[in-house]
Structure formats: C-alpha cells, structure tokens
Amino acid sequence: MPARPAILDSRLIRVICPLKQRSRCLAAAAHQLPRNQPWSHSPASTSIDNDQVARLASRPLHPLTLADLVRHGRPPLSASTLFTSANFTLSLLPIRLAHRIQALRNLPFIVVSNPHISRIYNNYIHSLSTLLPYQERQITTLEDEIQFTEVMADLVQTHADTIPILARGFLECRKYISPGDVTRFLDEHLRARIGTRLIAEQHIALHLSSQPHCNGNNQYPHDGSSSTSIGVIDTALRPAEIIRQCESFVSEICELKYGVRPTVLINGQPETRLAHVPTHLEYILTELLKNAFRATVESGKEREPIEVTIAAAPEPPSPSPLPEPIPLDPVTASSPRDPVTANTPPGVTIRIRDHGGGISPDNLPNIWAYSFTTFGDDELLDLSNGNGNADALNAISGAGGGDSSSLAGLGYGLPLGRAYAEHFGGSIMVQSLWGWGTDVYLKLRGLGRISVR
C-alpha cells in the first residue's frame, strides 16, 4: 500500500497534537515546516462559475455535532471506513464554503474591496475550486484518499489566519459598515468556520493515525496519553488538566507585564472527564483566565486567588429514558473496557471567579460585540499594522489554530470564545458585581454514552 505523504505530519502537528505533546512533535518535524508561506491566493489563480456557487449555497447546511465527528470509530480505521470518512467530509465542505462565499459577496462593495477581506474571499474561492473535482465521484481507493487529504491540508492551512485577517479588514472598514452589521456577519462567519475547520481536521487526524497509511515513521503520537482520542476529539478530556496548562501560559505573560502572578485554586470535581475538542477548550480557558488575571492584578488584588470550580452535570433521573448510545464502527471501535466507551457526564460547568472589581455598567452591554475593546484608536492602529505593542497580556488571545497573538487587543476574545462554547451546545455566561468581582460560567456539553454498534 502507498505510504502516507510525510508533509502532512509537519503541517498539521498544531492541529493534531494536544498542547502537552505539541513541543516535541514540532521539534521532530521542524525541518519540514514550510517557511514564509502566505497561504493566500490571487483572484487570477482560480475561477468558479457563479451558478455553481449559487447552487451549492442554496442547499441547507448539515448541523455538525460531536457525534458526527466520532461516528467512524477510534483509529486506526480500516481502509473502507477511511473512505467513508473522506466521502462524508466531501459531502459537507463544498456547501459550507459556498455559503461563506455568498455571504462575503453580500457585503457592501467597498468592504469586500478591502485587501484583507478580498484576500479571505479569494481563499474561499480557491478552496472550493480544489474540492469541486471530487464532487462527481466517490473516494474508493487509497490513492484518491491520500490526494483528498492533501487537499484538506491545503484548506486548513489556507484558512489558518482567517480570523485575524478579517479582524483587521473590518477595523479598516469601520467607517463604511455599522458595528451591528459587523457583529452579525462575524458571528455567523466565525461559527461556520469552526465547523468547517473541524470537519477537515477530523479527517486529517483520522488519516494520520490509520493503519492503511502507517509506514513505520508516523509522527502522530500513539502513547497512552492519546489512547482516548478519536481524531481531534478527546473522549476522556479532563478540564482540570487544560486549566493548569492555560494557567501556566497566562501566568508567565502576566508576570512578564506586571511582575506578579495570581494563583489559581481548582475545586469542585477536578477528576471530571468529558468528550470534547481540546484545542477549543484551550482557547476558551486562555481567554477567560487572561481576563481574570488582568482584572485581578490591575485592581491590586493579586494576593486573592482566582477560584475555578468544576461541576459535572448530574445524570438524568432514572424514570427518564437515557439517550441512545452513539454507535461506533464495529471494525475499529474499542472494546467494552476501553476508556473511549466509558460513560461520560452529559456536560460540565466551569466557574471562574475573580475579585478584580467586576465590569463597569458602561462596558457590560458590549462585551459580546466583536471589535469591542478598551484600547484607544492609536493603539488599535498599531495592532492593525502588526506592531502589537499596546498590551502584552492582551496578546494571549488564543491557543493555536491561527487565532492567537495576532488578535491581540482587537476585541474578539470573548465573543469568539462564546462561539467555540456554543458550537456544540455549550454556553458562556458572565455575572459581574461592579466594585467586587466577576463570575464566568462556562458550560460544555459532552457526548454521553458511546457504544459499539
């Protein structure tokens, strides 16, 4: 059988590897990483018939769920199951890309003419053009599947910086489009992007870790720490571990700026596990902890610990029927004793409590608006030009996936975090006691029971 192309390993380490494994994986693949690749495509590089875009955009979107992502079972997958994953991916992505192209076309012409937003539009056109040749046929051979996975790799990398590029584009166009219209467009666009990226990343992850493509040099981690993973989903994710990892990261930046670092106290049920996307939880928790650290230190309460409480949602009462188990592929699914098939709680709530003085009544109604920030216009222009000198602590708005420090201070942290939380039925709620502190409630939905079909 043909070997898996090595370039996929290096390009997608940041997507596939959990945070705690990322450093050694990147070190192993550093010599293969492409340099100075803009991942942008000019208008002349591709062309798509308008009728094709309109036809695809008229079709309804499939609402993506965590169950969709684990439906093929835990790797390594058989060749036939890998083909099924590829064809499922192919059935979803062209429609999603066409919807985004249509939404960009519906923006005012002067906004779409902005070079940053035009760049995003051209990237979507390019990605759709690479998928259209596969629309007329099924993927039934390993050679086709490998080529299709290369297309997925190009798609993920092409759109890696979509959010910061759009942020700068809309910042430059703020005179020509109302804040409400920007928020409505971005809320829809960024939520759709989360699903599109996950669909592509999931197939890439399953490809990298599946038997038909392994050639003995696979860099995808297969140690015990990844045994509960189904692609990019960790079916036994411990939020407490992610909290500690994000705390360490935020603490270092906080100490760099202020010379002090508040402590984080985790209580409640720290051993709780659930099925979720680790990189999404990393982003959300980094943003929430960043806000708590900054408020705590700037209010002079750095000796007050930031309290994080983890609570698993209770199981439904016995008289209520339990939901049907999520079926996994019988060839590749785990044994009944495997952690992947263990019962997980229906959800988890994480409360982050700080004593940083709360949010002022003037700012509280705006915290979910994209581009709402406490920076001034001069600092925003610096950030828009890539200087990023305004605030070191505000520069930690993400944990991978292209949505990190380049979003510094642009006001996308909280609304984007809420979009990640709500994508699979979760939520973020903020309760501020002005003059005292803030409680943030992050609710995450799990997968529930998983069983072999």
Side-chain angles (χ1 to χ4, degrees):
M1 291 185 180
R4 170 178 49 79
I7 190 170
L8 284 176
D9 289 301
S10 58
R11 281 185 182 177
L12 299 165
I13 290 295
R14 293 186 183 276
V15 171
I16 305 305
C17 291
L19 182 63
K20 59 188 176 184
Q21 297 168 336
R22 210 171 283 161
S23 296
R24 64 181 175 84
C25 292
L26 284 171
H31 65 284
Q32 298 179 8
L33 287 170
R35 303 296 179 188
N36 300 321
Q37 172 57 267
W39 296 106
S40 180
H41 302 275
S42 64
S45 63
T46 52
S47 62
I48 298 178
D49 188 88
N50 287 338
D51 290 339
Q52 286 180 299
V53 175
R55 176 176 54 83
L56 289 169
S58 67
R59 295 165 65 178
L61 292 172
H62 173 82
L64 185 67
T65 65
L66 283 171
D68 287 327
L69 298 177
V70 302
R71 64 189 296 178
H72 304 295
R74 186 166 65 86
L77 303 185
S78 64
S80 61
T81 307
L82 202 59
F83 301 155
T84 301
S85 170
N87 287 312
F88 175 72
T89 302
L90 183 58
S91 71
L92 301 180
L93 289 186
I95 299 173
R96 286 177 165 267
L97 294 175
H99 274 262
R100 293 300 90 220
I101 292 170
Q102 197 68 43
L104 284 162
R105 287 177 174 178
N106 290 337
L107 289 171
F109 178 77
I110 194 170
V111 175
V112 185
S113 300
N114 177 274
H116 298 297
I117 297 175
S118 177
R119 175 181 173 185
I120 296 303
Y121 174 81
N122 293 328
N123 285 350
Y124 273 96
I125 291 289
H126 164 80
S127 294
L128 181 58
S129 72
T130 62
L131 287 175
L132 288 178
Y134 291 91
Q135 280 269 283
E136 307 301 325
R137 57 191 173 97
Q138 291 282 301
I139 295 173
T140 57
T141 67
L142 283 177
E143 182 178 1
D144 283 347
E145 192 277 330
I146 289 172
Q147 292 175 353
F148 176 73
T149 307
E150 291 283 2
V151 172
M152 292 296 95
D154 175 75
L155 184 149
V156 169
Q157 294 297 330
T158 294
H159 299 275
D161 294 325
T162 289
I163 297 176
I165 294 171
L166 277 179
R168 280 154 178 78
F170 280 111
L171 181 62
E172 293 176 2
C173 294
R174 62 191 186 276
K175 294 181 180 179
Y176 312 113
I177 185 169
S178 70
D181 288 341
V182 170
T183 294
R184 281 188 291 273
F185 174 85
L186 287 175
D187 206 43
E188 178 185 349
H189 190 91
L190 300 184
R191 287 168 190 265
R193 175 188 178 274
I194 292 170
T196 300
R197 187 178 178 89
L198 263 181
I199 293 166
E201 289 173 350
Q202 180 69 351
H203 179 71
I204 293 168
L206 294 175
H207 170 99
L208 289 177
S209 55
S210 291
Q211 192 68 34
H213 298 289
C214 293
N215 60 2
N217 298 318
N218 191 8
Q219 293 173 340
Y220 183 86
H222 283 286
D223 55 23
S225 62
S226 62
S227 63
T228 59
S229 294
I230 300 178
V232 297
I233 308 294
D234 188 343
T235 59
L237 179 66
R238 285 189 63 215
E241 290 184 357
I242 304 294
I243 291 167
R244 287 302 183 196
Q245 293 164 12
C246 296
E247 176 203 356
S248 176
F249 176 54
V250 175
S251 293
E252 291 180 4
I253 305 297
C254 183
E255 188 168 19
L256 177 66
K257 175 173 174 60
Y258 297 107
V260 295
R261 56 170 72 189
T263 59
V264 173
L265 174 65
I266 299 178
N267 56 29
Q269 299 170 292
E271 299 303 316
T272 297
R273 297 176 182 267
L274 84 161
H276 216 273
V277 185
T279 53
H280 287 189
L281 191 55
E282 288 171 17
Y283 178 91
I284 297 167
L285 289 172
T286 298
E287 180 62 29
L288 297 182
L289 287 175
K290 177 201 74 173
N291 292 338
F293 271 60
R294 182 179 181 187
T296 299
V297 174
E298 292 187 352
S299 65
K301 299 291 184 65
E302 62 272 8
R303 294 188 178 181
E304 295 280 350
I306 295 168
E307 183 181 340
V308 180
T309 304
I310 301 172
E315 295 291 339
S318 53
S320 302
L322 290 171
E324 287 297 316
I326 297 167
L328 301 183
D329 185 279
V331 177
T332 60
S334 320
S335 68
R337 294 176 179 268
D338 194 287
V340 173
T341 61
N343 288 340
T344 59
V348 171
T349 300
I350 301 172
R351 182 188 67 188
I352 300 177
R353 168 173 289 176
D354 68 66
H355 298 89
I359 304 169
S360 75
D362 291 339
N363 289 337
L364 190 58
N366 302 315
I367 61 173
W368 303 116
Y370 290 95
S371 294
F372 172 73
T373 176
T374 55
F375 282 148
D377 287 344
D378 291 341
E379 292 169 316
L380 282 173
L381 288 174
D382 269 351
L383 291 165
S384 179
N385 293 327
N387 298 332
N389 297 321
D391 189 331
L393 189 58
N394 233 357
I396 54 176
S397 301
D403 307 333
S404 53
S405 60
S406 52
L407 277 175
L410 293 176
Y412 280 52
L414 266 181
L416 184 56
R418 185 171 69 167
Y420 276 116
E422 291 180 350
H423 194 79
F424 293 120
S427 65
I428 297 180
M429 295 181 291
V430 176
Q431 290 189 348
S432 171
L433 186 59
W434 177 230
W436 182 259
T438 304
D439 284 359
V440 180
Y441 294 86
L442 168 62
K443 293 186 178 181
L444 303 171
R445 287 188 62 183
L447 274 172
R449 298 179 298 155
I450 304 176
S451 70
V452 178
R453 181 161 53 204

